[in-house]
Amino acid sequence: FLGMEMDGHTITSSCLMFGFSLFGKNLLNIWAILLGVYLYSHYHKKHMSSYIYIGFYGTSLSPIITQIMYISDLPYAVRLIASLAVGLIIGFVLPPLSTHVRYAHKGYSLYNVGFSSGIIATVIVSVLKSFGITTESRLIWSVGNNTLFAVLLMSLFGCMIASAVAVRGKTILESYRRILKTSGIGGTDYLKDEGGATTVFNMGVNGLFATLFVLAVKGDLNGPTICGIFTIVGFSSTGKHLRNIAPIMFGVYLASFTKTWAINQPSPILALLFSTTLAPVAGRFGPVAGIIAGYLHSSVALNVGIVYGGMNLYNNGFAGGIVAIF
């Protein structure tokens, strides 16, 4: 509709919108934030295409919209106006904030908007708490679906790999090797650099690896973990590849042997998947640095969410930004 050319972020943002629709985002709670981003672009007389991806990523704060809508002791009209107003404010603040926070971590955390969203969520939830409005997290965690989802996911990723090979032929391995040599730092676009077939091949390989990793540690395949897998798959067009995500994930896995939680519990398994926001650390400084980053991330990710009560879906983006700065 905006007349834009497709690039790596088109794939990444689409995968994130799909994945987080399995928990947190829905057709109702995303629009106020997108409208706020539109108002920002209109205010600065710039085309919406300059900010549309920030808008898509910024819907990580959509639970705030839902939460305000269900403050039961206020009239419906007040709740509706309040949720719309907060969404517009979030969308209006996101573009400049996301631009500036990137200078803090220099692109070493791929979930840049997740970092800025964590800052916004902290401010908004703090304001709500000062009015006596609190949020309590709930654990709704599906189990027992591993066989079904494993077959579906591995079939999908296997078809992606096979299709990519069929389209590109023998040259795909040479192209894929060039991807593996990149650091993956923020701003990378494999679709632009290597073409669609190799990008889809990279997505399929990473998807298979992430799915098998979850199964290997006896984790559950459900809405949140499939979202984590699709986040890895989506960012496989803009920075992630097997060489830079594996050390980060192994760092989180190794952390489970020394800390007070098991890797297959809900929060740790999500930290395992979403920790790959720090893939550029491993890509730039090597596997040892990646393992250390993953180890640190597992601690930070499991503790920072308390400041905004789960209202930022990209919790690991906030945690990853902190670890990357550190």
Side-chain angles (χ1 to χ4, degrees):
F1 181 78
L2 293 174
M4 297 169 62
E5 290 293 325
M6 184 173 178
D7 62 15
H9 283 287
T10 313
I11 298 173
T12 303
S13 60
S14 297
C15 285
L16 261 66
M17 292 298 284
F18 165 76
F20 280 94
S21 295
L22 299 175
F23 80 121
K25 297 181 185 181
N26 58 57
L27 200 57
L28 176 65
N29 65 14
I30 62 175
W31 290 107
I33 294 172
L34 290 170
L35 182 58
V37 174
Y38 169 76
L39 290 177
Y40 181 85
S41 69
H42 183 73
Y43 177 78
H44 286 278
K45 296 180 174 60
K46 287 192 175 183
H47 197 261
M48 183 62 177
S49 59
S50 301
Y51 304 111
I52 186 63
Y53 294 128
I54 290 177
F56 285 151
Y57 297 138
T59 55
S60 64
L61 293 170
S62 54
I64 293 177
I65 311 302
T66 307
Q67 190 69 26
I68 294 174
M69 281 287 290
Y70 288 93
I71 299 173
S72 58
D73 56 346
L74 292 176
Y76 177 75
V78 175
R79 284 183 275 144
L80 184 63
I81 294 170
S83 61
L84 179 61
V86 170
L88 293 176
I89 291 169
I90 290 171
F92 200 89
V93 170
L94 264 172
L97 185 59
S98 297
T99 300
H100 287 291
V101 297
R102 192 182 185 281
Y103 293 109
H105 58 74
K106 305 293 184 184
Y108 283 100
S109 176
L110 292 175
Y111 309 163
N112 181 57
V113 178
F115 184 46
S116 57
S117 295
I119 295 171
I120 294 172
T122 301
V123 172
I124 292 176
V125 171
S126 298
V127 171
L128 291 176
K129 284 182 178 179
S130 68
F131 286 99
I133 302 169
T134 58
T135 59
E136 292 184 14
S137 61
R138 295 181 298 164
L139 179 63
I140 304 173
W141 191 259
S142 179
V143 298
N145 305 302
N146 281 18
T147 302
L148 171 64
F149 287 139
V151 171
L152 288 172
L153 290 170
M154 288 193 282
S155 297
L156 171 63
F157 300 137
C159 287
M160 290 170 72
I161 293 170
S163 300
V165 172
V167 170
R168 184 78 185 240
K170 294 180 181 179
T171 60
I172 198 165
L173 290 179
E174 181 183 349
S175 179
Y176 180 59
R177 276 194 287 269
R178 287 196 294 270
I179 284 180
L180 292 176
K181 290 178 182 178
T182 64
S183 66
I185 201 162
T188 303
D189 188 341
Y190 296 138
L191 186 64
K192 178 183 176 182
D193 296 338
E194 299 296 338
T198 309
T199 301
V200 170
F201 183 85
N202 187 45
M203 292 166 68
V205 169
N206 288 353
L208 272 179
F209 177 76
T211 303
L212 292 172
F213 208 119
V214 171
L215 294 173
V217 299
K218 297 181 171 57
D220 297 303
L221 289 175
N222 54 23
T225 54
I226 291 174
C227 175
I229 291 168
F230 268 89
T231 298
I232 291 175
V233 171
F235 274 95
S236 297
S237 64
T238 51
K240 294 183 183 180
H241 53 71
L242 199 57
R243 190 176 65 84
N244 65 10
I245 65 171
I248 305 293
M249 294 175 72
F250 278 112
V252 177
Y253 177 65
L254 291 174
S256 68
F257 293 102
T258 64
K259 298 180 182 179
T260 59
W261 40 260
I263 192 66
N264 57 2
Q265 291 175 329
S267 292
I269 197 72
L270 292 181
L272 172 71
L273 294 166
F274 290 112
S275 64
T276 50
T277 181
L278 293 166
V281 175
R284 172 66 177 83
F285 300 107
V288 174
I291 290 171
I292 294 170
Y295 189 96
L296 293 174
H297 181 88
S298 66
S299 293
V300 178
L302 268 58
N303 288 284
V304 296
I306 193 170
V307 300
Y308 43 71
M311 290 297 101
N312 175 24
L313 291 175
Y314 303 168
N315 175 59
N316 283 267
F318 186 52
I322 293 171
V323 173
I325 292 168
F326 178 77

